[in-house]
Amino acid sequence: MIRRLIELLALTAAGGSAALALDAEPLQLIGGAGTGAMVWLMIDQHRLGRFRDWLRQGHPAAAPNLPDDWTELVERSQKGFKLLQRETRKVEDRLQQLIAAFEASPNGLLVLDSAERIILCNQAGADHLGFDVKRDLGQHLRNLVRDPAFIAYLNGADYSQPVEIQMRALAGAQPSRISLQLHAYGFGNKLLLTRDITSFELADTMRRDFVANVSHEIRTPLTVLSGFIETLLSYDLSAEERERYLLLMNQQSQRMMTLVNDLLLLSRLEGTPAPGTAEWISAHELLDHVIEDGRVLSDLIADGSHDICADAGPDFELAGSRTELLSAMSNLLSNAVRYTPAGGRIRAGWRRLAPGGAEYWVSDTGPGIESEHIPRLTERFYRVDRSRSRDTGGTGLGLAIVKHVVQRHGGQLRIDSVVGQGSTFRILLPASRIRSLDAPVAAALSA
């Protein structure tokens, strides 16, 4: 400030001196001093303009070179700029974290203004409601989601409960069920939360179907047992009739026992960790056991008229649960026996696959399966031919058990079938669960 005053006085004196040197009149002398003051004012305004321009730029590194009197202002402004930049970076970092969390949410989040225009929207919300995030920002939500139930919900004042709408699916996809709930905040703004509940509804439907199917499957043999017991108690039967009824009752009780055992096995498969690689089992040993069970079943239901043969291939070992693998392999072979007419041919065996894995396969000459049934064969209690399955002792849970066992061993279940020619079921196991037998070990096993 002192320097500025000195500059003002110096320029004023210089103007007066110049007028005095020219023998100017007193008024001219005053005018010369005023001219010096005006020059100083113009110079000072220029410096002020440079300082103001620098403030507008807001960049501390580009400070103007000004005289000492301006230095303190420049330095204080630089410190203010730096502090403001640090605070701005903190706010930006927090904003980026908030946006990242906003986008990472598996649920949809939409911010609406008082006119119900979309201010912000994450990708999940756009996917749920079927619009484009960039293109549709600023659009009225009513123009994008025209479901009558949602429009009525939007027009109402009670947002305490969500509303559910059905969204049309793209080609080749399943329709989705979306839950939406509004939350009002601020001055007329709204937060819309969306959630895809399709899987929950499917799970609930499967649960209801499962309970209904189990009830039906158990009720049938119980009804038969109840009728036979009432007959035995109400009538004086001959020894032959009594024995026949008791045999039929035994069949129904065995059917219920098989059903309960399969349900318990499914529950155990779903509730226990996947088997490790500590236990190794010979592929030939498993196959021999399964083939023997298949022949016993053929003797019971078709007087042993099926032509059941094994194609063992080279022996090797599998890592996993012996009980589970036997159950899966036996289920595939027993299904082939049940659905192949008497006199039909059934083949089962192992083969090694090129990447190092292995494949267990069962092929039959039965009636085959129509293509629309194949995707649903592993559903619980799903049967292509219900009457034949029950007649031959099937519970409708065999392929569901196979699927769970295969998945627990890291494998895949594949089904190929041609109507009128037969079916082939294959279990593919990964290389991590297969190991070749050393020559001495193989010789000892074969001996």
Side-chain angles (χ1 to χ4, degrees):
M1 178 63 68
I2 294 174
R3 179 169 178 173
R4 295 179 67 204
L5 288 174
I6 293 173
E7 286 181 349
L8 173 60
L9 292 175
L11 287 172
T12 303
S17 299
L20 185 60
L22 296 174
D23 296 328
E25 297 294 332
L27 289 177
Q28 292 177 336
L29 183 62
I30 295 173
T35 301
M38 287 296 296
V39 171
W40 174 86
L41 183 60
M42 293 174 61
I43 294 173
D44 200 58
Q45 285 295 317
H46 174 68
R47 291 169 180 169
L48 178 61
R50 290 176 61 194
F51 180 73
R52 187 169 53 244
D53 292 342
W54 173 65
L55 288 178
R56 289 172 179 169
Q57 293 175 2
H59 198 291
N65 184 18
L66 296 173
D68 294 342
D69 285 347
W70 293 87
T71 302
E72 185 177 357
L73 288 174
V74 171
E75 290 177 351
R76 288 181 179 273
S77 298
Q78 283 182 311
K79 291 179 181 179
F81 278 141
K82 291 178 180 178
L83 179 62
L84 181 60
Q85 284 185 337
R86 284 196 296 269
E87 294 299 324
T88 302
R89 281 195 294 268
K90 290 180 181 179
V91 173
E92 288 178 347
D93 290 342
R94 291 172 185 168
L95 180 60
Q96 290 301 322
Q97 292 175 2
L98 182 61
I99 292 175
F102 190 78
E103 285 295 336
S105 173
N107 296 326
L109 300 169
L110 290 86
V111 178
L112 310 176
D113 64 13
S114 57
E116 296 169 355
R117 289 186 294 260
I118 301 172
I119 302 173
L120 290 174
C121 175
N122 67 351
Q123 189 59 49
D127 293 341
H128 290 165
L129 301 179
F131 57 80
D132 185 88
V133 175
K134 296 180 180 179
R135 181 193 64 200
D136 294 323
L137 280 181
Q139 296 293 321
H140 288 274
L141 185 62
R142 295 172 182 268
N143 297 335
L144 301 175
V145 182
R146 300 184 180 182
D147 186 277
F150 177 69
I151 297 300
Y153 177 76
L154 202 59
N155 291 334
D158 183 10
Y159 304 138
S160 60
Q161 296 297 324
V163 64
E164 297 177 5
I165 63 173
Q166 189 84 11
M167 295 300 296
R168 290 181 298 177
L170 299 175
Q174 293 293 327
S176 55
R177 190 79 176 170
I178 305 298
S179 170
L180 305 98
Q181 186 167 13
L182 281 167
H183 299 271
Y185 74 97
F187 297 97
N189 292 345
K190 297 183 181 70
L191 175 66
L192 177 64
L193 304 180
T194 69
R195 188 162 63 107
D196 189 342
I197 59 172
T198 308
S199 59
F200 297 103
E201 290 207 345
L202 289 175
D204 190 55
T205 301
M206 290 176 63
R207 179 188 59 79
R208 291 195 300 268
D209 291 346
F210 177 72
V211 172
N213 284 325
V214 170
S215 301
H216 176 73
E217 294 291 336
I218 292 180
R219 187 190 302 117
T220 301
L222 278 176
T223 302
V224 175
L225 282 172
S226 177
F228 285 153
I229 291 172
E230 183 179 353
T231 300
L232 291 173
L233 293 174
S234 303
Y235 299 97
D236 185 14
L237 303 175
S238 64
E240 292 80 6
E241 290 176 326
R242 184 178 296 273
E243 180 180 4
R244 184 168 66 87
Y245 282 142
L246 289 173
L247 286 174
L248 292 173
M249 292 170 65
N250 181 64
Q251 290 179 2
Q252 295 300 320
S253 65
Q254 289 297 323
R255 177 182 170 186
M256 280 196 298
M257 183 63 68
T258 302
L259 177 62
V260 170
N261 287 337
D262 282 352
L263 287 171
L264 291 174
L265 176 57
L266 269 176
S267 177
R268 183 175 63 82
L269 292 175
E270 293 177 343
T272 57
T277 57
E279 181 183 4
W280 291 86
I281 314 106
S282 166
H284 280 188
E285 180 185 347
L286 294 174
L287 183 61
D288 291 342
H289 194 290
V290 169
I291 291 294
E292 183 61 28
D293 288 347
R295 288 170 177 163
V296 171
L297 179 61
S298 178
D299 290 338
L300 290 175
I301 65 176
D303 297 326
S305 61
H306 292 108
D307 177 16
I308 303 176
C309 294
D311 184 4
D315 198 11
F316 54 89
E317 289 184 323
L318 296 87
S321 168
R322 175 188 175 86
T323 303
E324 292 181 19
L325 291 170
L326 274 176
S327 175
M329 295 169 63
S330 295
N331 269 307
L332 293 186
L333 190 62
S334 63
N335 279 347
V337 172
R338 287 189 175 95
Y339 288 98
T340 300
R345 185 179 63 184
I346 300 169
R347 297 287 182 269
W350 284 100
R351 65 170 64 98
R352 294 297 300 273
L353 302 177
E359 174 186 270
Y360 169 73
W361 55 273
V362 176
S363 179
D364 63 59
T365 57
I369 306 167
E370 295 178 349
S371 58
E372 62 266 24
H373 294 294
I374 292 179
R376 301 191 60 190
L377 288 180
T378 56
E379 295 180 13
R380 298 175 185 186
F381 299 111
Y382 185 83
R383 296 182 178 95
V384 177
D385 187 342
R386 291 183 175 270
S387 60
R388 179 170 178 80
S389 176
R390 291 196 179 96
D391 291 342
T392 55
T395 63
L397 296 172
L399 288 178
I401 292 173
V402 173
K403 181 187 72 173
H404 278 77
V405 170
V406 172
Q407 289 177 344
R408 285 167 54 83
H409 286 76
Q412 301 177 28
L413 175 64
R414 294 183 181 175
I415 305 171
D416 299 305
S417 186
V418 178
V419 176
Q421 298 183 23
S423 306
T424 299
F425 291 76
R426 295 180 291 159
I427 294 176
L428 283 70
L429 295 176
S432 59
R433 291 190 174 269
I434 306 298
R435 73 179 183 188
S436 300
L437 288 172
D438 296 333
V441 177
L445 288 174
S446 61

